[in-house]
């Protein structure tokens, strides 16, 4: 229906990573969660749930926060055969942060929230059809 000449504009995964719109997870971390494909996070998800908030700097590390998300994704992905998965995990965030609409108060005390994210498995890039996983907020595309 369309040829390459019909494409007006494309924004590649490589460009999004270079621009900081996407963050690629460490492949070693993904492997520990038994994930075979590259994993990319939107900058919003990465900065809110993976990067350690200042008040938790002495209590947490980035690998643990990242590992929690990857493990919960991998666990819930085992029960999904679709290319889109809405999954949940629990994350500790500062009390001062306003709730986003994908967050609810957790039954775990001390600033924990139950968080809903969306994972999409699709081609890694416009010129690379190998599969990749993109983790984002439920309303992001």
């Amino acid at each position: 229906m369309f040829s390459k000449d019909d494409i007006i504009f494309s924004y590649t995964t490589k460009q999004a990573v270079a621009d900081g719109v996407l963050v690629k997870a460490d492949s070693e971390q993904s492997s520990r969660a038994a994930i075979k494909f590259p994993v990319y996070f939107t900058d919003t998800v990465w900065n809110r749930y993976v990067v350690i908030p200042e008040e938790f700097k002495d209590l947490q590390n980035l690998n643990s926060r990242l590992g929690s998300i990857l493990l919960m994704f991998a666990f819930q992905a085992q029960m999904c055969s679709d290319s889109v998965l809405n999954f949940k995990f629990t994350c500790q965030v500062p009390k001062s942060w306003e709730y986003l609409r994908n967050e609810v108060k957790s039954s775990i005390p001390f600033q924990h929230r139950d968080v809903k994210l969306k994972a999409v498995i699709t081609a890694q890039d416009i010129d690379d059809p190998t599969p990749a996983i993109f983790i984002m907020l439920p309303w992001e595309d």
Side-chain angles (χ1 to χ4, degrees):
M1 186 164 140
F2 294 103
S3 71
K4 280 189 171 184
D5 297 333
D6 294 328
I7 296 174
I8 296 170
F9 177 79
S10 65
Y11 188 59
T12 67
T13 301
K14 289 175 192 156
Q15 289 172 311
V17 170
D19 292 345
V21 174
L22 290 175
V23 178
K24 187 175 182 187
D26 179 65
S27 59
E28 198 172 299
Q29 278 283 91
S30 299
S31 294
R32 283 191 201 120
I35 300 171
K36 299 176 185 178
F37 306 122
V39 179
Y40 295 88
F41 288 84
T42 60
D43 62 333
T44 309
V45 170
W46 184 267
N47 290 319
R48 186 162 180 98
Y49 304 117
V50 179
V51 172
I52 305 164
E54 194 59 42
E55 67 186 73
F56 302 142
K57 289 280 185 195
D58 295 333
L59 305 171
Q60 298 179 349
N61 68 59
L62 188 126
N63 286 338
S64 293
R65 287 176 69 96
L66 175 59
S68 294
I69 297 172
L70 293 173
L71 283 170
M72 288 309 295
F73 160 76
F75 175 73
Q76 294 174 58
Q78 292 177 33
M79 298 171 275
C80 179
S81 60
D82 199 1
S83 62
V84 177
L85 169 68
N86 289 301
F87 71 99
K88 295 179 183 177
F89 75 103
T90 301
C91 186
Q92 188 177 26
V93 298
K95 195 180 272 188
S96 61
W97 287 11
E98 289 189 33
Y99 278 81
L100 296 181
R101 61 186 185 216
N102 65 311
E103 300 172 350
V104 295
K105 186 174 182 175
S106 175
S107 59
I108 300 172
F110 193 67
Q111 304 172 343
H112 283 82
R113 296 182 188 179
D114 291 335
V115 178
K116 185 177 180 181
L117 295 177
K118 177 172 72 174
V120 178
I121 187 165
T122 188
Q124 185 162 200
D125 215 329
I126 195 167
D127 60 351
D128 183 356
T130 60
I133 299 161
F134 296 84
I135 297 178
M136 62 200 76
L137 296 173
W139 54 88
E140 292 181 312
D141 288 326

